[in-house]
Amino acid sequence: MALSSDRMFLELHGNQWRVVVNVPKRLRAELGTKLKKSLGTDSLKEANRLKWDVIADLKATIAHAENPSLSLEIARAATREQALRKAIEFAEQRKGAFDPAQRDEIDEEIDWQAEHLAGRSTAIDEDGNEVFDPDRLRLARDFSQLARGAKTPIDLHHEKFLAMSQVKARTLADDKRAMKLLKDWCEKAGVPPYLQSITKKEAVRFCDELPDLTANLTPVTLNKYVSRLSVYWTWLENRHEVESNVWKGRRLREPQQTTDQKERPFTDDEVRVLLSGPAEPEMDDLMRIAALSGARLDAIVCLKVKDCRDDGVFVFKPQKKEPGPRLCPIHSDLTEIVERRKKGKQSEDDIFPEWPGVKKSTSLRERSFKTSNEFTEYRRSVGVEDRREGKRRGLVNFHSFRRWFITKAEQAGQPESTIAVVVGHKRQGMTFGVYSGGPLLEQARRCVEAVKLPPDPLQAEK
C-alpha cells in the first residue's frame, strides 16, 4: 500500500478527512459509538501526516473514561509508543526500498511526520530562534532516527528471534527475563535502549552492575541471562542487524568451588540403598533405567512404547543441545522392565503413565517436575543426602545416577568417546547419529553392558 493511500482511522466527511476511533461497547452509553475529529484537509496524504496526535488524544479520552483516576496526561503517553511503532513501520519500508525514488518518497513522509510530532513553536528566544516543546521535540527526533534506521530498539527483533528459536519453554522464559533485565538496566543507567547504544563498553557495565539490579540472583543464574543475550546478539549479527556480538566472552565471576562442594555421583553404597529401599514399583523401575543408561530424568519419563525398540535400543528425545533423538542400547538387566511396561500398550502410549506431567499448556515445568520431587522425597527417606553449609542444593540428586553411570563406564575401561556417544555428550570426530546398526552401536552396547549394578548383600547371602 502506498504511504499516501493509507485510510486507517480515517474517513471522508464531505470533502475533508477526519479521524474515527471506535469506542468499546462498555463505554458507548457514555461516549457514543465512535469518536470523530476533523483534520481540516481534503488531502489524504496530509491527513495521514496529521492523524496520529488526534488518534492518541481520542484514545486517551477513551482510557480516561474507562479509568477516571487515570489522568489525561498519563493516557496521552500512548502517543509516543504509537509514534515509535509507526517509525518502525517506516524503517521496514525504507529497508526494502531499493528504488531511489521510493526511498526519497519514504524520507519525505518521515520528515513530514517528524515535523508534525514536533508541533508548532511555543516561543522565540533572544536570538530569534523558534523554541519547541522539549518533550515533543525529543519524540520527533527519536521518530526520525528510528524511521531512518539510525536507532533500533533492542527488543525490536526479539519476538522473531524467539519464534525461530528451537529451545524449551524454560529457555524462552530465560530469554524474556534477560531482555527485561537489559531494558531495566538501560532505564536505570540512562543508556538509550537501542542496539546502537549497546557497545562492548556498555555490555561490560551491564555485567558489572547486574548483581546490584538483581540482588537475590546468584552469579550462575545471571550468567545464564548474559548467555541468552549473547545468543540473541549472535542471531542479530548473522542477520546484519549489529556489527558484532558485544556479549561474547562476557561473564560474571562465579565463586570457585572446591571438590567437596561440587555435585557428585552416587557411591555404590548409595545406589545399593536406593535400589533396595521401599520404593514404589515405578520409582524402582525409573532408578534402574537411569543407573544403567545414564539418561536424564526427563528423557526417561517421556519415553513412549515406540521409543523402546524391539532391537534393544532406547530412543531418547533430544536434551540440552542435542540436535536430534539419541539412541542408547537397552541394558540386558532392563529387558524385563521394558517388556513389562510395554505389554498391552500401543506405540504412542507412555512407558511411565504414572507421571503424566503438568496439565497447563502454558506451564514452563518439564514433565518430570513431579517425578523429581517424588524421587527427592524418597531419597531423603532412605538417608541418601549430602548437604553442605552455604550450598542451596545438596551434592546428590537424580542426576547423580547419570554421573554414576559415567564413572562406572570409565572404571570398566570404556573409551571416553564411546561414553560420550551413549550419554549424549558433545564429542569431536565421528558421531553416533541415528544409525541402528554398525560398529558404533555395538561399541555403545558393550559400553552399556560394562556397567553393573552393585550387588545387594542380602541377595548375595541367599
Side-chain angles (χ1 to χ4, degrees):
M1 179 182 292
L3 294 171
S4 58
S5 61
D6 182 8
R7 294 172 180 258
M8 185 181 295
F9 294 108
L10 295 176
E11 72 175 16
L12 195 60
H13 181 64
N15 65 345
Q16 292 193 332
W17 292 97
R18 65 183 179 186
V19 170
V20 180
V21 175
N22 291 325
V23 175
K25 289 183 179 180
R26 59 185 176 278
L27 299 175
R28 288 179 181 176
E30 179 182 352
L31 299 178
T33 305
K34 299 179 179 180
L35 296 182
K36 303 178 180 180
K37 186 172 182 180
S38 176
L39 294 171
T41 179
D42 60 359
S43 167
L44 179 56
K45 189 174 183 178
E46 182 68 11
N48 272 299
R49 294 183 181 123
L50 300 175
K51 70 183 181 181
W52 296 108
D53 271 1
V54 176
I55 292 170
D57 284 341
L58 296 182
K59 287 190 173 183
T61 300
I62 293 172
H64 183 61
E66 191 166 26
N67 183 6
S69 64
L70 185 68
S71 69
L72 283 174
E73 288 74 17
I74 295 176
R76 288 193 178 103
T79 304
R80 178 178 180 84
E81 182 181 350
Q82 196 164 26
L84 295 184
R85 282 203 303 267
K86 187 63 179 178
I88 291 170
E89 292 179 19
F90 275 124
E92 291 298 318
Q93 292 173 348
R94 197 173 184 274
K95 187 184 298 184
F98 299 105
D99 178 27
Q102 186 182 10
R103 177 72 67 91
D104 289 342
E105 179 186 355
I106 295 172
D107 286 344
E108 181 184 349
E109 290 285 345
I110 292 172
D111 291 340
W112 274 95
Q113 293 277 8
E115 287 177 16
H116 183 69
L117 288 171
R120 296 180 180 179
S121 61
T122 57
I124 302 295
D125 65 17
E126 297 177 354
D127 298 325
N129 298 317
E130 292 181 313
V131 177
F132 293 86
D133 178 277
D135 291 334
R136 295 195 61 160
L137 188 60
R138 188 180 306 112
L139 174 58
R141 287 172 178 168
D142 288 346
F143 173 89
S144 181
Q145 289 180 313
L146 183 54
R148 293 178 183 276
K151 285 185 176 180
T152 308
I154 55 178
D155 58 349
L156 175 60
H157 304 289
H158 202 238
E159 285 302 321
K160 188 172 185 178
F161 161 73
L162 296 179
M164 296 176 67
S165 298
Q166 297 180 341
V167 295
K168 293 181 180 179
R170 290 174 65 182
T171 303
L172 288 177
D174 289 337
D175 278 303
K176 293 177 181 179
R177 291 191 194 101
M179 179 54 64
K180 185 179 185 304
L181 284 172
L182 180 57
K183 291 173 70 175
D184 289 348
W185 175 80
C186 284
E187 182 177 356
K188 182 179 179 181
V191 176
Y194 301 114
L195 293 178
Q196 292 79 3
S197 304
I198 308 300
T199 62
K200 288 184 178 181
K201 183 176 180 180
E202 299 302 348
V204 171
R205 279 186 61 199
F206 173 81
C207 291
D208 287 345
E209 298 172 12
L210 189 55
D212 295 330
L213 192 66
T214 54
N216 295 327
L217 298 181
T218 65
V220 174
T221 300
L222 296 180
N223 277 330
K224 177 175 62 175
Y225 296 140
V226 174
S227 175
R228 296 315 301 168
L229 290 174
S230 181
V231 173
Y232 176 47
W233 247 256
T234 296
W235 183 84
L236 291 171
E237 182 182 8
N238 291 336
R239 297 172 66 86
H240 303 286
E241 298 292 348
V242 297
E243 292 185 2
S244 63
N245 178 8
V246 299
W247 304 100
K248 187 175 182 180
R250 306 279 172 254
R251 290 189 66 82
L252 282 73
R253 185 174 181 178
E254 299 177 9
Q256 188 172 5
Q257 290 186 327
T258 59
T259 303
D260 63 351
Q261 291 178 316
K262 294 181 180 180
E263 294 182 10
R264 61 171 178 80
F266 287 127
T267 64
D268 285 357
D269 284 341
E270 287 170 333
V271 171
R272 189 180 294 110
V273 168
L274 289 166
L275 297 182
S276 62
E280 295 294 331
E282 62 270 20
M283 182 61 72
D284 187 73
D285 290 347
L286 180 77
M287 292 189 294
R288 291 176 186 276
I289 292 176
L292 294 177
S293 70
R296 295 181 173 89
L297 174 58
D298 199 61
I300 301 173
V301 173
C302 290
L303 281 171
K304 294 183 179 296
V305 170
K306 66 178 183 180
D307 299 326
C308 304
R309 297 186 344 192
D310 293 338
D311 60 352
V313 173
F314 284 126
V315 182
F316 291 118
K317 71 174 189 176
Q319 298 277 289
K320 299 292 184 179
K321 296 182 180 180
E322 292 175 354
R326 176 171 57 84
L327 306 187
C328 176
I330 299 175
H331 197 290
S332 56
D333 288 351
L334 299 176
T335 302
E336 184 277 328
I337 293 174
V338 172
E339 292 305 315
R340 169 167 44 83
R341 288 196 160 267
K342 288 173 61 176
K343 188 175 182 180
K345 295 180 179 179
Q346 302 298 314
S347 63
E348 291 294 332
D349 290 343
D350 292 325
I351 290 294
F352 285 99
E354 296 90 346
W355 293 294
V358 293
K359 295 181 179 179
K360 292 184 179 180
S361 59
T362 56
S363 175
L364 301 180
R365 292 174 175 174
E366 294 180 333
R367 175 173 175 168
S368 58
F369 176 79
K370 185 177 180 181
T371 320
S372 178
N373 288 342
E374 290 184 13
F375 171 74
T376 300
E377 184 178 351
Y378 168 71
R379 173 175 58 77
R380 289 172 176 169
S381 73
V382 295
V384 177
E385 182 70 297
D386 189 352
R387 306 287 299 185
R388 302 298 169 92
E389 185 177 353
K391 290 280 291 182
R392 183 176 61 86
R393 286 163 52 106
L395 302 191
V396 291
N397 46 47
F398 193 89
H399 207 71
S400 295
F401 278 123
R402 180 174 171 85
R403 300 185 182 99
W404 180 84
F405 175 89
I406 294 172
T407 300
K408 290 300 165 183
E410 288 177 335
Q411 292 175 353
Q414 295 301 307
E416 181 180 350
S417 59
T418 304
I419 299 172
V421 163
V422 171
V423 300
H425 283 168
K426 184 178 180 181
R427 70 169 194 159
Q428 301 297 322
M430 185 172 50
T431 58
F432 191 28
V434 295
Y435 298 106
S436 58
L440 278 174
L441 181 62
E442 293 309 312
Q443 292 170 17
R445 194 176 298 280
R446 286 197 295 272
C447 175
V448 169
E449 293 293 338
V451 177
K452 305 295 182 183
L453 293 176
D456 186 339
L458 296 179
Q459 293 294 330
E461 290 177 5
K462 294 180 182 180

